[in-house]
Amino acid sequence: MKKIMIMIIVALGFMGTGCQDITVGYLLTEDASYEIDSLVIKSVLDTRPPVEIPNPEFQRYLDYGWDAESIISILGVFPTIKEGGGADYDRDFYGIPWTSTPIEGVQGTEPIFASIKTVTSDVGDVGKILEFLTVRGDGTLSIPTRHEIPVGRYKISLTFANEGYSKDVDDCFTIIVK
């Protein structure tokens, strides 16, 4: 009888500890930071198109006796090249967004999700930047090429979350709109 009572007590002990909720995984953000912690974006782009000029390399092959069709098809050298143009011509033409580097120092059980916690600014319009600002799971921040964000400095705070955990990284990135 004594053995049965001990077995029942031990069984109840196991049942009691086995029913506790244990949080799955882990999430560490104490060392989270960006290697390059700011991004300068332009509100007005310089999109002057480049000018086409004769390609001296193409002319050199013509002088060697090559025919134009062979120079283009075999060597991939064209009669004209684009030169000059505005500093933001390619960004505008191809729609390349303004993008930060991924955040470093966030460790945890995958998948880890990132979201924008807050944006603060002394001068700019926080509502406008929130319309255009996006964040990926690795903490990469992105703003489209063309935007309507007013000039100012914007401090970004992020929240990282996975199953069971959520941690904030405050004022980790600065976006400067000029």
Side-chain angles (χ1 to χ4, degrees):
M1 182 71 170
K2 192 174 182 180
K3 286 185 178 182
I4 294 174
M5 288 294 268
I6 292 173
M7 290 174 63
I8 291 173
I9 291 172
V10 170
L12 288 174
F14 280 126
M15 289 172 57
T17 59
C19 294
Q20 293 178 355
D21 287 337
I22 298 173
T23 306
V24 176
Y26 69 101
L27 181 62
L28 303 173
T29 60
E30 290 77 24
D31 297 325
S33 66
Y34 287 88
E35 184 174 346
I36 302 170
D37 65 351
S38 63
L39 175 66
V40 178
I41 66 173
K42 296 180 182 178
S43 58
V44 178
L45 301 175
D46 180 6
T47 59
R48 291 175 288 123
V51 178
E52 290 206 12
I53 61 169
N55 186 347
E57 186 179 4
F58 186 84
Q59 185 59 48
R60 188 174 34 235
Y61 285 115
L62 283 175
D63 293 344
Y64 290 152
W66 287 65
D67 64 288
E69 190 175 312
S70 296
I71 297 171
I72 295 170
S73 64
I74 296 172
L75 301 176
V77 178
F78 294 92
T80 60
I81 56 174
K82 294 182 180 182
E83 187 173 271
D88 303 310
Y89 175 79
D90 285 341
R91 178 178 297 281
D92 184 55
F93 185 79
Y94 295 109
I96 302 168
W98 305 94
T99 306
S100 74
T101 59
I103 196 165
E104 298 174 355
V106 175
Q107 300 175 1
T109 306
E110 296 288 339
I112 299 173
F113 301 99
S115 61
I116 299 167
K117 176 186 170 191
T118 59
V119 177
T120 58
S121 178
D122 296 339
V123 181
D125 183 356
V126 172
K128 270 294 185 197
I129 196 169
L130 285 171
E131 287 180 33
F132 295 98
L133 181 63
T134 59
V135 62
R136 297 185 200 141
D138 64 356
T140 302
L141 299 164
S142 184
I143 293 178
T145 307
R146 297 223 175 243
H147 57 82
E148 300 166 7
I149 303 169
V151 173
R153 278 178 95 80
Y154 300 89
K155 286 280 205 179
I156 315 297
S157 296
L158 300 174
T159 298
F160 292 91
N162 64 3
E163 185 179 353
Y165 294 94
S166 177
K167 294 192 178 180
D168 298 331
V169 180
D170 294 323
D171 296 333
C172 57
F173 198 80
T174 303
I175 294 178
I176 303 162
V177 181
K178 290 188 173 184

